[in-house]
Amino acid sequence: MDIGTKIRAIRNRKKITIAQMCEGTGLSKGFISNVENNNTSPSINTLSTIAKFLGVPLPYLLLEKNQHMRVVRKETRTNSSFHNLKIEHLASKGGLRTMIVEFPPGASIGEPHSHEGEESHLVLKGKILAEQGEDSVILEEGDSFSWNASVPHFVKNIGDDKAVVFISIYADTELKDVL
């Protein structure tokens, strides 16, 4: 783990000198230098003291680089289509995927289908029909619903205008080709 480099970067970004850090943490200049150069591995107690002084949560210092926040700028999002639906892929991390799906009038996800995981939906615009098993409900702008995706489900735009739905899908494993 490269904790020292992360500590130095945070300290520099906040314009904190090593002397100020020594004073605020009670740690010696040599020790802080060794930590920042990854020459020593501080205890959890010491890391907690450093994190508190720097104003960051302790777990943040322990994250690997690939576990940090991932940003997807609007202009770099990917789009795809599925059964005449326009899908804008917002973000994904591990088994979590978020997307905005546009349903033209009368469009649906196709036949009822199922897959691993859980889904949550928020209707941003329009009027849709959502069905799962024996449950059937009509939802409009601002309504939300969720379900276990392993049970066959179906969504269709039943309004006269385009429907837009924010969808979040979570599964224990990374999902591909769900939509």
Side-chain angles (χ1 to χ4, degrees):
M1 294 182 74
D2 193 10
I3 295 171
T5 303
K6 188 180 298 184
I7 289 170
R8 179 187 299 116
I10 295 167
R11 180 178 60 75
N12 288 335
R13 187 175 63 249
K14 294 186 174 202
K15 297 183 177 18
I16 297 170
T17 66
I18 288 183
Q20 291 169 321
M21 193 161 162
C22 291
E23 187 178 318
T25 63
L27 301 170
S28 73
K29 183 177 180 179
F31 182 78
I32 290 173
S33 178
N34 278 328
V35 168
E36 287 189 353
N37 290 314
N38 292 308
N39 292 329
T40 189
S41 296
S43 69
I44 293 296
N45 271 348
T46 301
L47 277 178
S48 181
T49 299
I50 292 170
K52 185 174 181 179
F53 176 77
L54 293 174
V56 297
L58 173 61
Y60 181 76
L61 294 180
L62 302 173
L63 290 177
E64 295 289 343
K65 186 67 176 167
N66 66 350
Q67 295 173 313
H68 282 233
M69 175 173 55
R70 289 166 45 186
V71 174
V72 179
R73 300 284 181 199
K74 182 177 182 176
E75 61 275 5
T76 64
R77 289 184 194 146
T78 59
N79 294 290
S80 63
S81 60
F82 179 81
H83 291 282
N84 201 28
L85 308 178
K86 178 185 171 198
I87 303 164
E88 184 176 5
H89 302 276
L90 302 177
S92 64
K93 183 110 171 102
L96 178 64
R97 291 179 50 205
T98 57
M99 61 197 82
I100 293 177
V101 180
E102 292 183 7
F103 292 76
S108 74
I109 62 169
E111 293 297 315
H113 71 281
S114 62
H115 55 85
E116 177 188 355
E118 305 285 331
E119 292 186 14
S120 291
H121 305 74
L122 171 63
V123 180
L124 300 173
K125 179 180 177 182
K127 184 177 185 178
I128 65 164
L129 168 69
E131 296 182 334
Q132 183 187 41
E134 296 298 310
D135 297 330
S136 178
V137 65
I138 294 173
L139 301 117
E140 298 185 57
E141 183 177 325
D143 294 337
S144 61
F145 63 100
S146 57
W147 52 38
N148 182 317
S150 66
V151 175
H153 50 277
F154 175 80
V155 178
K156 180 179 182 175
N157 179 355
I158 60 170
D160 295 330
D161 298 314
K162 170 176 71 175
V164 180
V165 181
F166 172 82
I167 302 175
S168 178
I169 302 173
Y170 177 78
D172 289 334
T173 58
E174 193 166 342
L175 295 170
K176 295 188 188 320
D177 301 328
V178 172
L179 276 184

